[in-house]
């Protein structure tokens, strides 16, 4: 794909919704697979009381809509303004206490784990049932839509086509010892290929820091998979 076409696909525009300003992809098809659509607000006439504390709305007690779930709350139950990057809001937006907790947890993904995925890590990569493993750098593309694998050859996996992710670990004990991520299997559908294709990533054993980077990348990818499933179930 040429840089000109890529730039068009990655182009964004500023839009105003009832919830606030959003910086969204110019072409919806090229949005982040981890994104969420804005919810439909519960109509005012259907919520005479706060949906959390049951306080009746009146002239003094105004109703507010949570920008994440769309439900109605009083100011006390919906007072926090929190960043909501999965909906591309420019500024922090009003959220109920439950949704604010979720958004705070997701902030760690965007602030730390997404950066790890974009920077990439080195793995031994096995495709399908092959007995051969190739050393490749695996990273998330800048538009978050592809896993890019670079080595002697180059492969792309469209993130939205990933069907299942399984973490491979070692060191787990029945007594509750901590397990260490050693690899990951991904099952995905490939264009023009029948059935499901499997990809296995294995962290190397070298001691120069790349093993630690690979382990952190695996943990970040596992979190990304959870967000991906949530986006699909919306």
């Amino acid at each position: 794909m040429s840089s000109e076409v890529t730039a068009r696909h990655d182009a964004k525009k500023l839009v105003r919704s009832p919830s606030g300003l959003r910086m969204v992809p110019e072409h919806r098809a090229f949005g982040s697979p981890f994104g969420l659509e804005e919810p439909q607000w519960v109509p005012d006439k259907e919520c005479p009381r706060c949906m959390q504390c049951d306080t009746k709305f009146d002239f003094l007690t105004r109703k507010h809509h949570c920008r994440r779930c769309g439900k109605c709350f009083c100011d006390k139950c919906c007072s926090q303004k929190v960043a909501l990057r999965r909906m591309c809001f420019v500024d922090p937006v009003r959220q109920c206490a439950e949704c604010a907790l979720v958004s705070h947890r997701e902030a760690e993904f965007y602030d730390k784990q997404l950066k790890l995925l974009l920077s990439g890590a080195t793995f031994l990569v096995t495709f399908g049932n092959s007995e051969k493993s190739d050393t490749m750098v695996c990273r998330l593309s800048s538009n978050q839509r592809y896993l890019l694998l670079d080595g002697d050859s180059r492969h792309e996996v469209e993130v939205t086509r990933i069907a299942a992710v399984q973490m491979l670990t070692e060191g787990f004990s029945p007594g509750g010892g901590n397990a260490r991520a050693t690899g990951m299997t991904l099952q995905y559908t490939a264009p023009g290929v029948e059935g499901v294709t499997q990809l296995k990533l294995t962290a190397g054993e070298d001691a120069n820091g790349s093993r630690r980077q690979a382990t952190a990348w695996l943990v970040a990818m596992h979190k990304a998979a959870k967000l991906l499933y949530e986006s699909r179930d919306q």
Side-chain angles (χ1 to χ4, degrees):
M1 185 179 293
S2 70
S3 58
E4 182 180 350
V5 173
T6 300
R8 288 204 302 269
H9 286 181
D10 292 343
K12 295 185 178 182
K13 61 183 178 181
L14 191 65
V15 299
R16 181 181 293 277
S17 73
S19 297
L21 285 173
R22 301 170 66 218
M23 185 64 74
V24 300
E26 197 163 291
H27 301 280
R28 185 175 179 181
F30 301 115
S32 168
F34 309 119
L36 295 174
E37 295 294 330
E38 282 190 82
Q40 291 290 328
W41 283 10
V42 175
D44 288 349
K45 62 182 180 181
E46 294 182 12
C47 53
R49 295 176 176 275
C50 174
M51 301 178 78
Q52 178 63 41
C53 69
D54 204 38
T55 296
K56 184 178 180 180
F57 295 123
D58 55 26
F59 181 74
L60 295 177
T61 306
R62 298 179 57 191
K63 66 182 65 175
H64 301 278
H65 285 86
C66 172
R67 272 49 175 174
R68 186 178 181 113
C69 67
K71 296 178 181 179
C72 288
F73 301 92
C74 66
D75 183 70
K76 182 180 178 180
C77 295
C78 193
S79 61
Q80 298 186 61
K81 289 191 175 182
V82 182
L84 185 43
R85 302 187 200 181
R86 292 183 73 186
M87 292 184 191
C88 303
F89 283 109
V90 174
D91 300 309
V93 292
R94 188 183 291 269
Q95 297 179 54
C96 66
E98 182 177 349
C99 287
L101 284 174
V102 176
S103 295
H104 276 304
R105 288 198 296 267
E106 289 174 352
E108 181 182 359
F109 172 76
Y110 284 93
D111 291 337
K112 298 179 181 179
Q113 294 165 326
L114 182 58
K115 293 178 181 178
L116 282 171
L117 294 175
L118 293 170
S119 62
T122 302
F123 296 95
L124 294 174
V125 181
T126 308
F127 292 93
N129 296 320
S130 174
E131 296 182 359
K132 179 184 176 183
S133 295
D134 297 315
T135 300
M136 308 182 82
V137 175
C138 185
R139 64 182 177 85
L140 188 67
S141 63
S142 59
N143 61 10
Q144 305 170 22
R145 297 195 60 81
Y146 295 91
L147 283 182
L148 308 177
L149 297 103
D150 290 299
D152 291 338
S153 59
R154 179 183 173 88
H155 298 267
E156 292 185 355
V157 176
E158 191 171 354
V159 171
T160 56
R161 290 182 173 271
I162 296 176
V165 172
Q166 182 179 1
M167 186 79 84
L168 305 176
T169 61
E170 66 180 12
F172 176 79
S173 67
N178 292 328
R180 181 179 65 166
T182 59
M184 174 178 285
T185 59
L186 298 94
Q187 294 182 337
Y188 62 96
T189 56
V193 178
E194 292 187 7
V196 176
T197 301
Q198 180 165 294
L199 170 69
K200 182 180 179 181
L201 306 175
T202 304
E205 294 294 341
D206 57 83
N208 63 2
S210 63
R211 172 62 183 261
R212 186 164 54 252
Q213 174 79 2
T215 300
W217 194 97
L218 292 170
V219 173
M221 185 61 204
H222 192 253
K223 174 63 176 178
K226 291 182 179 179
L227 298 186
L228 179 64
Y229 299 150
E230 290 174 7
S231 297
R232 288 174 179 169
D233 294 339
Q234 187 183 31

